[in-house]
Amino acid sequence: ASLWAGETGDHVLTLQGAHTDCVNHATFSLDGQRVGTASEDATAVVWTLAAAAPTLYLTMHSHIVSHAAFSPDGELVATASWDETACVCSSHTGRVVARLEHDDALVLSCAFSPDGSRLLTTTDTNAAFVFQVQPQ
């Protein structure tokens, strides 16, 4: 994943070495200090921009991870996967706090609500789902 300066278009930083296959999606934490990446190698990675280094590897999926999203407070990271699940994890420890099953559907994307209380997912079955996220 590469970071570019919006004002100038200059290349700022490349995040590499943590994934072994194509990176499908990258997202900033709301504070802009971390990046989450989702990959076809069935992992998601949380990076600290200041160090330009991975700080957390999420390996709970068994198929392509198509999307990742940070909660508004940055405490959680959600992942969407072709293994028919979305997972919500601590963005600091990687502990899975919720595994959301989607029967016979590849999970394509995920997004937290503005207050972080819900997770929206989309699937390849032309459907969107809303899940309540339990406070930690």
Side-chain angles (χ1 to χ4, degrees):
S2 292
L3 180 65
W4 303 86
E7 313 81 38
T8 64
D10 292 339
H11 181 259
V12 176
L13 179 67
T14 299
L15 303 174
Q16 63 186 12
H19 291 292
T20 60
D21 207 336
C22 177
V23 174
N24 295 317
H25 181 77
T27 186
F28 279 105
S29 59
L30 196 58
D31 65 7
Q33 302 302 305
R34 295 182 293 162
V35 167
T37 54
S39 175
E40 293 195 9
D41 66 7
T43 69
V45 175
V46 175
W47 305 76
T48 300
L49 283 180
T55 56
L56 183 64
Y57 291 83
L58 301 172
T59 60
M60 65 286 201
H61 290 292
S62 61
H63 209 313
I64 290 169
V65 180
S66 52
H67 203 95
F70 285 98
S71 61
D73 65 4
E75 293 300 310
L76 300 173
V77 61
T79 55
S81 175
W82 288 16
D83 67 3
E84 302 178 0
T85 68
C87 290
V88 178
C89 304
S90 163
S91 67
H92 303 286
T93 67
R95 182 178 66 87
V96 176
V97 297
R99 186 174 187 87
L100 310 169
E101 303 288 336
H102 295 68
D103 294 331
D104 299 318
L106 307 180
V107 186
L108 303 176
S109 67
C110 56
F112 281 95
S113 61
D115 68 358
S117 68
R118 292 168 289 167
L119 185 73
L120 175 68
T121 63
T122 63
T123 68
D124 70 332
T125 60
N126 306 325
F129 298 87
V130 177
F131 297 90
Q132 192 71 33
V133 177
Q134 299 300 317
Q136 295 306 303

